[in-house]
């Protein structure tokens, strides 16, 4: 799907657990300026509901499972994340919504830019107008 | 303790859960080149048992709780991490050991450098020799 991709990270597994590493410009296609994480989400809650003008992000579920609905004016897809060695790359102009967070689920996001409110498209109709040039 | 500090991150809490953000050079005192995370650790397992020559890291427990033993030739301390809005900064020449991982615990580490095996001090006696100049 446009500006989206599933990434696989190396899973270094032993009897002492699992370790995955994300190196900037190697495991993700950008320099990491920020990470953020979402925890303690109730099972009925939904988050996201926005797109970004420039930000590139990779979403990784570190515990439990989380569903991500990604869409643009012509495509829609739902991805379930439940493996710390799998990341969902989301580039610019992808509308995304997160839901079905299981108990104790943890969502880690690795981001290409510092937080900037002006980079958000939070209104779906405004998003459709902004993204129209890219989707004919 | 030498080259260690507890950092507090903003906890953006709502009925939809908690979000904390770590911006490089703002919330941590370095540029983020790599993140890694440890999951699925059994309760009897211990990890770490090394120090670094140059690497700076911040350890955050995103679910459950984890204990970190930090030491140098003259000090020793144990820190329990159990709050996603608290990070443990560990700079160079701090020996560290992780243990008492609870079920479904998640340890996130934000790191200042790419992985480099030559930066590790994995033998405790070698570590004591290398760090002697810093601790008289």
């Amino acid at each position: 799907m446009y500006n989206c991709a599933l990434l696989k990270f190396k899973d270094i597994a032993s009897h002492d657990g699992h370790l995955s590493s994300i190196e900037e410009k190697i495991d993700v296609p950008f320099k990491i300026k920020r990470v953020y994480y979402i925890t303690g989400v109730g099972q009925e809650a939904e988050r996201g509901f926005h797109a970004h003008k420039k930000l590139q992000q990779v979403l990784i579920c570190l515990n439990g499972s989380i569903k991500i609905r990604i869409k643009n004016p012509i495509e829609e897809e739902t991805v379930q994340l439940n493996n710390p060695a799998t990341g969902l790359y989301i580039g610019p102009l992808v509308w995304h919504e997160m839901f079905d967070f299981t108990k104790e689920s943890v969502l880690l996001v690795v981001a290409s830019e510092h937080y900037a409110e002006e980079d958000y498209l939070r209104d779906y109709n405004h998003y459709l107008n902004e993204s129209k040039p890219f989707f004919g």
Side-chain angles (χ1 to χ4, degrees), chain A:
Chain A
M1 203 175 126
Y2 175 80
N3 269 357
C4 291
L6 279 174
L7 309 180
K8 282 303 288 179
F9 308 121
K10 203 189 290 180
D11 174 5
I12 304 172
S14 73
H15 60 282
D16 292 338
H18 295 260
L19 186 152
S20 288
S21 173
I22 301 177
E23 310 236 10
E24 67 176 11
K25 299 286 280 172
I26 298 172
D27 300 298
V28 293
F30 51 79
K31 292 191 83 168
I32 301 169
K33 290 194 182 155
R34 174 170 58 115
V35 303
Y36 63 91
Y37 38 84
I38 297 171
T39 59
V41 180
Q43 279 180 284
E44 298 307 309
E46 304 202 328
R47 301 190 59 122
F49 293 88
H50 60 256
H52 287 279
K53 296 176 194 168
K54 289 188 184 164
L55 187 68
Q56 301 178 73
Q57 306 187 87
V58 174
L59 285 63
I60 310 113
C61 180
L62 301 188
N63 195 53
S65 85
I66 297 162
K67 288 186 186 143
I68 321 284
R69 190 181 299 118
I70 43 181
K71 55 185 181 179
N72 61 45
I74 56 172
E75 297 168 284
E76 177 173 328
E77 199 177 314
T78 295
V79 177
Q80 182 169 31
L81 295 177
N82 58 11
N83 181 344
T86 301
L88 175 62
Y89 170 87
I90 298 182
L93 295 182
V94 177
W95 186 266
H96 52 282
E97 304 169 359
M98 290 98 104
F99 61 104
D100 274 2
F101 289 74
T102 60
K103 198 168 177 296
E104 297 190 52
S105 61
V106 173
L107 180 65
L108 170 68
V109 183
V110 176
S112 68
E113 305 295 337
H114 289 291
Y115 176 82
E117 184 55 37
E118 64 272 21
D119 190 60
Y120 282 75
L121 297 166
R122 295 188 184 273
D123 176 81
Y124 192 65
N125 286 322
H126 180 52
Y127 160 71
L128 289 177
N129 283 334
E130 290 281 318
S131 58
K132 212 178 270 175
F134 297 89
F135 297 95

